[in-house]
Amino acid sequence: MENKDCVLSPVTRKRLEAQGYVGLTDAQLNDFKVGIRFAYSLCALLVLSGLIFSNVAILLTAMTIAFFAMMPPYHPFDYLYNYGVRRFLHKPKLPPRTNQGRFACGIATIWVGGIILLLTNNMEVWGYIAGGVLLSVAGLVSILDICIPSMIYNFLFRRQAYDLRSQGKI
């Protein structure tokens, strides 16, 4: 299944490594990138459906899925991918989600909760604006592997590690 001669773009490699997928070959990253995008794409479609239909139940479902995606080892949609979709695509099973991915899902949980609050408290315009921004962020990771929450995670925790080293705690 794995193409040993695959050369992944350095830009794509950097973006996937920012999501925590380090130490993998170009061929492995190339095989995993569709599966990594799969969960984010389905979540974005759920949020989009909830916004289009102004349906809080759909948004609550998306929020619940994002909440459970924070817990290791896999995103709920990774199970759907690993035990179904990947077989049709002839791809290997996905590795467990990274800390960056779980952090992104934590942000999504809070964000969708905020959208729900806005929509249920007669602030629909703000709810749709927040939803549009969330869908833009989800679109970046689903299409281009650019994960803004992963960048935030890496910034926060690298800085924390640096601060601990400078204080002699590491």
Side-chain angles (χ1 to χ4, degrees), residues 39-60:
Y40 297 129
S41 299
L42 285 183
C43 287
L45 286 173
L46 263 178
V47 171
L48 178 63
S49 298
L51 291 170
I52 287 173
F53 297 115
S54 298
N55 190 315
V56 173
I58 294 173
L59 292 170
L60 280 169

Side-chain angles (χ1 to χ4, degrees), residues 130-152:
V133 174
L134 177 60
L135 289 172
S136 297
V137 171
L140 283 172
V141 72
S142 297
I143 298 166
L144 300 173
D145 297 312
I146 299 170
C147 185
I148 294 170
S150 290
M151 293 176 197
I152 294 168

Side-chain angles (χ1 to χ4, degrees), residues 9-26:
S9 145
V11 172
T12 301
R13 171 174 277 289
K14 183 177 178 183
R15 291 173 181 172
L16 290 170
E17 286 179 345
Q19 293 180 47
Y21 296 98
V22 294
L24 300 170
T25 66
D26 283 359

Side-chain angles (χ1 to χ4, degrees), residues 60-74:
L60 280 169
T61 301
M63 187 178 82
T64 303
I65 290 168
F67 175 78
F68 284 108
M70 293 187 305
M71 298 170 198
Y74 292 101

